[in-house]
Amino acid sequence: MQVKGFGAGYLVGDVAATTRFYADVIGLPVTVELDWFASVNAGAPGFEISFVQRGHESIPPGYRAQEVSGLSFGLVVEDAHAEAKRLEEAGVELVAPVVDEVYGQRHFYVADPNGVLLDVIEMIAPDPEWAAANLPAS
């Protein structure tokens, strides 16, 4: 299989509200917006997050009513603290505060209107002791 892009999609109850959250609050550009389907660009050409109206006929019958469960997306940013502040000022509740991880990430979580977790990540240097014990020698 020669993959030329990646699209993660999930069923939602309100396509318009979900699209507005990702476009207006998170800041991802809308690439397609229909009444039953929308897609936003996740930072690089060919990488999309899509929303399909729950119950839509384009979804196989046994899957049309499924609720979102256990889904999360990671969004890599330049400055996690600045993004956390921006989102909080916009009225978005942080599900988990900004923390620095020994493995080289500064991150926090927010949830979209459907309960999907967004892990907002800034790459930082890993803890030297952790790196020595866990990463291959360069």
Side-chain angles (χ1 to χ4, degrees), residues 6-58:
F6 176 76
Y10 59 101
L11 303 178
V12 300
D14 188 335
V15 172
T18 303
T19 304
R20 295 284 56 87
F21 175 81
Y22 280 89
D24 299 344
V25 178
I26 300 300
L28 301 181
V30 176
T31 56
V32 177
E33 189 166 14
L34 307 171
D35 63 341
W36 64 274
F37 175 88
S39 194
V40 295
N41 181 264
F47 288 82
E48 304 279 320
I49 302 172
S50 300
F51 323 112
V52 181
Q53 181 67 52
R54 187 174 292 106
H56 193 267
E57 63 194 30
S58 66

Side-chain angles (χ1 to χ4, degrees), residues 23-107:
D24 299 344
V25 178
I26 300 300
L28 301 181
V30 176
T31 56
V32 177
E33 189 166 14
L34 307 171
D35 63 341
W36 64 274
F37 175 88
S39 194
V40 295
N41 181 264
F47 288 82
E48 304 279 320
I49 302 172
S50 300
F51 323 112
V52 181
Q53 181 67 52
R54 187 174 292 106
H56 193 267
E57 63 194 30
S58 66
I59 303 300
Y63 296 85
R64 290 179 185 164
Q66 287 188 348
E67 297 287 330
V68 174
S69 175
L71 183 60
S72 72
F73 297 116
L75 302 173
V76 178
V77 300
E78 289 292 322
D79 185 338
H81 283 293
E83 290 297 333
K85 181 179 180 196
R86 182 184 70 78
L87 291 170
E88 285 183 306
E89 288 173 353
V92 177
E93 179 184 348
L94 300 188
V95 175
V98 178
V99 296
D100 289 358
E101 304 288 3
V102 295
Y103 48 81
Q105 289 185 354
R106 173 174 294 136
H107 69 127

